[in-house]
Amino acid sequence: VPEFPTIAELPETYRSLAEAFREGGLAIARADIPSLVKSQLGVPPVLLLREAVIRTRFYIAARADKVIFFFVRREGAERVVLDASIEFRLTPNEFTSPPLTMLPEAIAHSAVPPPFLVLEPSAADQQEFSFALGVPADRVLVLELRAGTLAVFEPESEDDARIAWRLRGANAFSRLDLEPAGEEAAEVFVSLARTVGQWVGRGFEDGPEIPLDITAVATRAPVLHEIFHSICDAWARAYNEAAVSSGEFLPDYEVQDYRGSVVLRLKPDGTVARNDDDDPFQLLLTIRIGTRDGVPRSRIAVGPPDFLTAGALRDSFLVALNGPGGFDELAGQLNIDDDDGWLRLRSFLLAAFPSALVFRVKRKTSDGGTDRDTDAIIYSGIIGGREASLAVRADFIVSGGAAAGRRVEYVPGSLKVIYSSLPVGSTVEPKRDLTRYGLRLLASMENWIGVLR
Amino acid sequence: VSIAKKDLTESVRRAGELLDILEKQIDAGFKDQESIQPGDPRLVVLHGMCSNPKGALTRFLTTLGGPAVPAMAPAGVAIAAPATAAIDFGASVVPPPAAPKPPDAGEGVSFSFDEFLTSVGMAMLNAQRQLDERSSDYLKESQQQPHVLPAIFRVPKLSASMKFAFEKRDDKKMNLVFYSAGSQQSTQHQQEIEFDIVSAPAPAEAMAELRQKSPRVDLILDPKQRDTIIAAARGAKLSKPTSKLPDDFEAGRCLLIALSAAAQYLMIYADTKQDGNVGMWRLTAGEPDRLEVIYRFDKKSADAEVSFQVLVNELADRQRDFLDSLRA
């Protein structure tokens, strides 16, 4: 088994990159000095290394006794647990005074919670949803969705989870059945998906921030805290190294737009998944660090990376699914067998295409850069003069590298309608897939808000 | 863009070819220009070609298999003259093999990060030096043609973007590794860097430091100090009779240099009438002042001495003009 460095050694890598940038820049500037000496011009131009953007990707694995990292995936190496990245810009900056030496411990941390999370519900609301769910209010997660307010208890447990819903403008919360989920519960989860989609579409890293006590992370998630600390330390070391003066021939440099990210693969109970058999749910943790008024500050955000609301990759899924094979299967499952029904279904899909949501609900073993994923797709729109939703689940083969260049193929026969309120064909009661993903998403948010609290 | 070391070398060579093409274009423009009279609209065409050699570059890049050259770098990026050329290495370092090559076993080529940046910087520097030489020729040729804009040519910016793999070295620093085989590239080239090298005005502090550090001899140019030294030399005790200053000694044309020993000065003076008359003395100020000859003014010498005389006279003339301007 190859020996991998521990995560504590990660920061030194980024210090050495910043150092190499300065040394390379100095070598270029020095090589051009002869042209300065012989120049007859007043202020001759010289070659300068102006700016660099560095994007690195690495992998983190937790062993029994330590957390390790590596830059290259190798056959037979550790099973990959977390994908991570660090990117930053090295850019000239004229410091008005010598820059302070940055320490990771001096960073003032803040978090960007999802705007629809209600961190402090009113006393009246607490009383109401506590009564509706039959549980103490402090164990309930509250979300303000577009269509109403959702209160959730124990979303991490499919068997014990409870939800209560208050439609916008209504007076009281009412508890909704999940086993089996009815149409109203299904619409709540569709509304949840749409709200999350809007949030992700706007960029989940932006928004009002609240102070974050990092010691809470250390207590609740020590492995995550170790990774987090290394990413902060990497920033501090790169920043300090870049700011070292290289003499008069080079400007001072500053690390800007520093962003670290870790794709957390979590089991339903919130612990880190070891492999695909754990049915991991992915959350993207991002840490942006910079200085403001001379003080180092971080902004930490968590969002679902597998939630596609727009873009070429999302369109690829929709196009793949709505090819002749996929469409026929869909119409068949909805028991639509006449021309009028086909036409109405196709019109609905076309109209709902721009706002359709695609999210991965299961990831199967990757083989040579090819993934076989199970994705849920939610269409919402107007049909027959009223709002309706259609949710399906299907398997796709995804291959290729960058998101825009990935090839997506639908796996014939894998489509399953998990909910339909369309007034065409048969109505489909919500299947467990829909509620399961919704509850997993809510459970992840509950873990996140637990850290914030 | 992924490159192996041999491809990087090849890219540098091709960058040189690129500049050769640019030069040929400019040469062709010059030839056309010989028949052009002031006011001829073709002058505009010539200038346009110099400032935007996109056609030639695009054609050249097409032969490389790379994409077309992007838009010109914005004006104002350290351009010393109106004519500019932009080479985007991000586009041009694509290493498309002209003929099918046998598949590489996947061996990567490793660079330290600073070594890599320096290599790319050197490629740009070498390209710029070729342009500097051509600029110099162009300036000389255009001196005789008042209707031609004097111009020098700069590569204002190099932008590079590439993917690579990391490899840890024994000293715990990271090396950049470039794989040339397809599968290795796609699985291991997961790191990415973009950088710009620009041609920018040298920092004023750098110029000052350079001037301070560069070796030079300072002539004494303060008129009062000069008058005192010359007066002392005229009245000094001579070490030998032959140490005396020339009869028609012109004070304003005598070069004076302070020696490192206190109160000692080097005096250099050349005749403007007779070839070969150049002398050098050392004055030691004191009680009494002493003047010693280092090289006799009127000593018969080889023709080679005339070259030194010319040098001294050139300096002396400029010094006299400068001192006159101070007095005026």
Side-chain angles (χ1 to χ4, degrees):
Chain A
V1 177
E3 192 57 37
F4 291 110
T6 67
I7 195 76
E9 295 173 59
L10 181 77
E12 178 58 20
T13 300
Y14 293 89
R15 190 207 62 75
S16 72
L17 283 177
E19 181 187 44
F21 175 82
R22 278 196 305 103
E23 286 176 353
L26 197 57
I28 292 169
R30 281 189 176 142
D32 208 12
I33 287 177
S35 69
L36 280 183
V37 175
K38 71 179 184 184
S39 174
Q40 299 298 312
L41 298 172
V43 184
V46 289
L47 296 186
L48 290 175
L49 190 52
R50 187 178 67 175
E51 184 174 273
V53 178
I54 298 172
R55 299 187 187 94
T56 62
R57 186 175 174 192
F58 56 97
Y59 305 94
I60 300 171
R63 283 185 176 171
D65 55 339
K66 60 186 175 182
V67 181
I68 59 169
F69 80 97
F70 40 98
F71 284 103
V72 178
R73 272 201 258 207
R74 288 193 178 90
E75 289 296 323
E78 290 288 324
R79 192 166 188 88
V80 172
V81 178
L82 305 173
D83 288 4
S85 71
I86 288 179
E87 60 185 59
F88 57 97
R89 202 154 55 92
L90 285 157
T91 189
N93 187 23
E94 195 168 314
F95 294 104
T96 50
S97 56
L100 298 171
T101 299
M102 296 297 172
L103 295 171
E105 295 77 15
I107 297 173
H109 299 288
S110 62
V112 184
F116 51 85
L117 273 182
V118 182
L119 296 172
E120 292 177 0
S122 69
D125 279 359
Q126 287 188 41
Q127 193 175 2
E128 271 194 37
F129 59 67
S130 176
F131 178 76
L133 293 169
V135 295
D138 61 356
R139 295 180 61 190
V140 176
L141 178 71
V142 184
L143 301 95
E144 195 67 51
L145 307 181
R146 282 201 313 173
T149 308
L150 175 65
V152 187
F153 170 71
E154 286 197 1
E156 67 279 9
S157 164
E158 279 187 53
D159 296 331
D160 298 329
R162 301 176 194 177
I163 65 170
W165 175 247
R166 183 178 65 192
L167 204 61
R168 192 168 292 281
N171 291 325
F173 282 89
S174 55
R175 184 173 165 183
L176 304 179
D177 287 336
L178 291 174
E179 286 294 338
E183 186 176 337
E184 195 174 7
E187 289 297 339
V188 168
F189 282 110
V190 168
S191 182
L192 171 66
R194 301 212 69 77
T195 303
V196 171
Q198 276 191 334
W199 168 55
V200 171
R202 282 196 302 266
F204 69 84
E205 294 174 75
D206 297 317
E209 57 193 66
I210 58 172
L212 175 66
D213 177 9
I214 206 66
T215 55
V217 180
T219 309
R220 290 165 192 268
V223 170
L224 184 60
H225 179 260
E226 199 175 346
I227 297 166
F228 181 84
H229 183 268
S230 281
I231 291 175
C232 291
D233 194 13
W235 170 80
R237 294 198 198 194
Y239 184 94
N240 295 336
E241 188 63 47
V244 171
S245 176
S246 297
E248 306 296 354
F249 280 97
L250 272 192
D252 295 330
Y253 289 96
E254 186 178 10
V255 170
Q256 288 189 352
D257 300 337
Y258 182 92
R259 180 179 182 268
S261 72
V262 183
V263 179
L264 304 172
R265 305 181 71 207
L266 304 173
K267 290 197 283 190
D269 62 1
T271 58
V272 174
R274 299 279 166 178
N275 54 50
D276 290 340
D277 297 336
D278 289 333
D279 190 19
F281 181 88
Q282 294 203 138
L283 274 184
L284 179 65
L285 169 77
T286 68
I287 308 161
R288 290 186 290 176
I289 310 176
T291 57
R292 199 165 65 224
D293 304 326
V295 178
R297 296 172 194 274
S298 81
R299 278 168 66 88
I300 301 156
V302 170
D306 297 332
F307 217 96
L308 304 174
T309 59
L313 184 58
R314 185 205 67 145
D315 293 351
S316 298
F317 276 100
L318 296 176
V319 168
L321 183 64
N322 289 295
F327 182 80
D328 290 350
E329 287 180 38
L330 176 62
Q333 290 196 26
L334 291 172
N335 295 318
I336 298 172
D337 54 8
D338 60 310
D339 288 349
D340 180 58
W342 279 46
L343 192 62
R344 292 180 71 194
L345 176 61
R346 191 167 284 285
S347 300
F348 170 78
L349 292 174
L350 283 173
F353 194 103
S355 62
L357 302 169
V358 178
F359 47 87
R360 182 159 58 184
V361 294
K362 197 175 180 82
R363 179 183 184 179
K364 290 181 185 167
T365 307
S366 154
D367 181 20
T370 300
D371 292 339
R372 178 167 172 151
D373 295 343
T374 302
D375 293 81
I377 297 163
I378 295 180
Y379 302 92
S380 296
I382 306 289
I383 181 168
R386 72 174 183 89
E387 280 196 28
S389 301
L390 170 67
V392 302
R393 191 196 73 184
D395 290 357
F396 296 88
I397 305 285
V398 184
S399 54
R406 277 186 210 155
R407 216 175 85 185
V408 179
E409 295 170 79
Y410 166 62
V411 177
S414 65
L415 184 141
K416 183 181 175 188
V417 177
I418 54 177
Y419 173 61
S420 172
S421 61
L422 302 183
V424 56
S426 308
T427 302
V428 178
E429 293 299 318
K431 301 286 189 291
R432 284 188 70 139
D433 301 77
L434 182 66
T435 52
R436 183 185 293 134
Y437 182 83
L439 289 172
R440 292 290 300 277
L441 184 62
L442 290 168
S444 305
M445 286 179 185
E446 189 180 49
N447 287 332
W448 176 224
I449 201 170
V451 171
L452 297 183
R453 276 173 176 156
Chain B
V1 175
S2 309
I3 54 174
K5 190 168 189 174
K6 61 178 183 293
D7 296 322
L8 182 66
T9 309
E10 177 66 6
S11 299
V12 172
R13 189 185 66 74
R14 290 183 181 198
E17 290 179 9
L18 188 69
L19 289 160
D20 285 345
I21 287 183
L22 181 61
E23 286 183 22
K24 282 172 188 163
Q25 290 279 317
I26 294 169
D27 278 339
F30 292 145
K31 287 195 176 75
D32 281 352
Q33 196 174 242
E34 287 167 7
S35 62
I36 297 174
Q37 296 303 310
D40 190 314
R42 278 184 292 169
L43 259 182
V44 178
V45 175
L46 173 64
H47 182 248
M49 186 200 72
C50 292
S51 62
N52 185 10
K54 189 173 175 178
L57 297 181
T58 304
R59 282 194 296 280
F60 184 73
L61 287 172
T62 305
T63 66
L64 289 177
V69 173
M72 299 293 290
V77 186
I79 298 164
T84 67
I87 298 172
D88 190 326
F89 276 61
S92 63
V93 291
V94 179
K101 290 197 290 190
D104 199 310
E107 284 297 311
V109 181
S110 179
F111 294 87
S112 73
F113 187 31
D114 52 337
E115 179 186 67
F116 174 73
L117 288 174
T118 308
S119 298
V120 178
M122 290 304 111
M124 183 176 175
L125 192 59
N126 290 336
Q128 182 57 58
R129 283 176 180 157
Q130 289 186 46
L131 268 183
D132 286 344
E133 286 174 19
R134 196 62 192 91
S135 294
S136 176
D137 294 344
Y138 176 58
L139 283 172
K140 282 176 196 159
E141 290 168 22
S142 63
Q143 275 179 350
Q144 309 304 321
Q145 302 171 77
H147 56 284
V148 175
L149 282 173
I152 60 173
F153 303 89
R154 297 286 304 174
V155 180
K157 178 180 166 189
L158 178 152
S159 295
S161 172
M162 49 200 69
K163 290 191 172 182
F164 53 89
F166 267 147
E167 175 188 73
K168 197 169 183 184
R169 291 181 355 208
D170 292 341
D171 59 1
K172 295 198 171 179
K173 291 190 174 181
M174 303 304 293
N175 264 4
L176 277 56
V177 187
F178 296 90
Y179 291 95
S180 53
S183 62
Q184 292 272 29
Q185 264 184 24
S186 61
T187 57
Q188 306 216 4
H189 280 184
Q190 298 191 9
Q191 321 304 333
E192 195 176 349
I193 182 171
E194 294 172 13
F195 61 90
D196 288 346
I197 298 174
V198 296
S199 176
E205 297 86 351
M207 290 299 290
E209 187 184 284
L210 191 64
R211 288 194 181 105
Q212 195 180 9
K213 285 184 177 172
S214 58
R216 66 181 187 275
V217 174
D218 288 326
L219 297 177
I220 296 173
L221 296 170
D222 175 23
K224 278 190 178 174
Q225 192 184 5
R226 286 182 58 85
D227 289 349
T228 305
I229 294 168
I230 297 291
R234 287 185 197 276
K237 183 181 175 185
L238 303 179
S239 60
K240 294 182 201 168
T242 51
S243 298
K244 72 182 180 88
L245 296 173
D247 294 338
D248 54 353
F249 180 79
E250 191 183 340
R253 299 189 65 260
C254 179
L255 306 180
L256 296 178
I257 298 164
L259 298 175
S260 53
Q264 289 194 342
Y265 304 94
L266 184 68
M267 302 175 68
I268 308 171
Y269 187 78
D271 197 350
T272 55
K273 302 180 189 82
Q274 193 170 340
D275 283 350
N277 278 354
V278 57
M280 201 180 298
W281 299 263
R282 184 178 74 170
L283 173 70
T284 305
E287 291 293 338
D289 301 318
R290 283 174 55 82
L291 188 64
E292 298 162 86
V293 68
I294 299 170
Y295 190 84
R296 262 179 62 187
F297 179 75
D298 54 356
K299 184 182 177 186
K300 296 296 176 197
S301 59
D303 291 345
E305 189 179 340
V306 176
S307 301
F308 183 50
Q309 183 187 17
V310 169
L311 171 70
V312 172
N313 272 330
E314 282 175 357
L315 279 171
D317 288 344
R318 287 172 60 189
Q319 177 183 268
R320 182 193 55 204
D321 294 346
F322 176 75
L323 293 171
D324 287 349
S325 70
L326 292 182
R327 290 195 174 93

